[in-house]
Amino acid sequence: MKPFDRAQAEYLVNTYSDMILRLSYTYLKSTHDAEDICQTVFLKYLTCGQTFDSPEHEKAWILRTAVNACKDVLKSSWRTRTCDIESCAQVAAPPQVQGSILSAVQELPDKYRIPLYLHYYEGYKIREIADLLGERPATINTRMERGRNRLRHMLGGNYCEQGV
């Protein structure tokens, strides 16, 4: 284990925390779980001793680690045997803006939501998304097209002129 580097930790938080939180939220649909994933990714980064060839390589490693951590949480037996806090709490969450594209994207199944989110909100190309998710580019392209078709149907064509 390498020694703790405060400057490196601050760099990570400032550079990647928002991206990891947004990506994790698209998987887990829980702000608290997304925050846990963010911490997990930072701890792995700070303790793994990994060196990176470029900032893009570093960003891809961060995203891949976040995706894997989210998948681990989703398949854990703890998650299937416990009640999520949203169903138990009496405090209402802040309302999502109904009719917005992001709220419609959040309603899509994972296989459509994640590639669309990575492409349109994080700016990744099809090949990069395929590498991050461990799929073929043709598969990602098909999922994105099907996801866009579902969005068109859900939104009633209201946003079609905007490129959805």
Side-chain angles (χ1 to χ4, degrees):
M1 179 186 260
K2 66 183 183 181
F4 176 75
D5 182 1
R6 183 175 186 86
Q8 184 67 12
E10 288 177 4
Y11 161 77
L12 286 175
V13 170
N14 293 333
T15 307
Y16 297 114
S17 61
D18 288 340
M19 180 182 56
I20 295 169
L21 286 170
R22 288 189 309 262
L23 177 64
S24 300
Y25 184 81
T26 62
Y27 268 95
L28 305 173
K29 297 184 180 178
S30 165
T31 303
H32 299 292
D33 288 343
E35 290 169 348
D36 289 345
I37 294 298
C38 194
Q39 289 180 357
T40 300
V41 170
F42 291 153
L43 286 174
K44 282 184 182 181
Y45 181 93
L46 291 170
T47 60
C48 75
Q50 177 86 18
T51 57
F52 301 103
D53 302 333
S54 65
E56 292 79 24
H57 181 216
E58 178 182 66
K59 185 177 180 181
W61 185 91
I62 295 273
L63 282 174
R64 184 74 239 166
T65 303
V67 167
N68 288 341
C70 288
K71 288 181 178 181
D72 289 346
V73 167
L74 288 172
K75 68 183 177 184
S76 74
S77 61
W78 175 85
R79 190 168 177 94
T80 60
R81 286 187 265 145
T82 59
C83 175
D84 65 350
I85 196 159
E86 283 81 23
S87 64
C88 298
Q90 298 300 320
V91 179
Q96 274 192 328
V97 178
Q98 293 301 319
S100 73
I101 295 175
L102 183 57
S103 67
V105 169
Q106 291 295 333
E107 293 176 23
L108 292 172
D110 286 351
K111 68 181 184 178
Y112 304 129
R113 181 180 67 241
I114 301 305
L116 286 172
Y117 174 79
L118 288 172
H119 181 71
Y120 289 107
Y121 291 92
E122 294 298 332
Y124 279 88
K125 293 179 174 43
I126 302 291
R127 180 164 299 284
E128 295 170 327
I129 295 168
D131 291 342
L132 285 170
L133 300 179
E135 299 284 351
R136 294 178 29 230
T139 303
I140 297 301
N141 204 23
T142 301
R143 288 180 181 174
M144 287 182 60
E145 183 59 31
R146 289 178 182 167
R148 284 189 293 261
N149 287 338
R150 285 186 177 209
L151 283 173
R152 278 187 198 101
H153 180 72
M154 289 167 59
L155 297 170
N158 294 339
Y159 295 96
C160 290
E161 293 79 32
Q162 296 178 14
V164 175

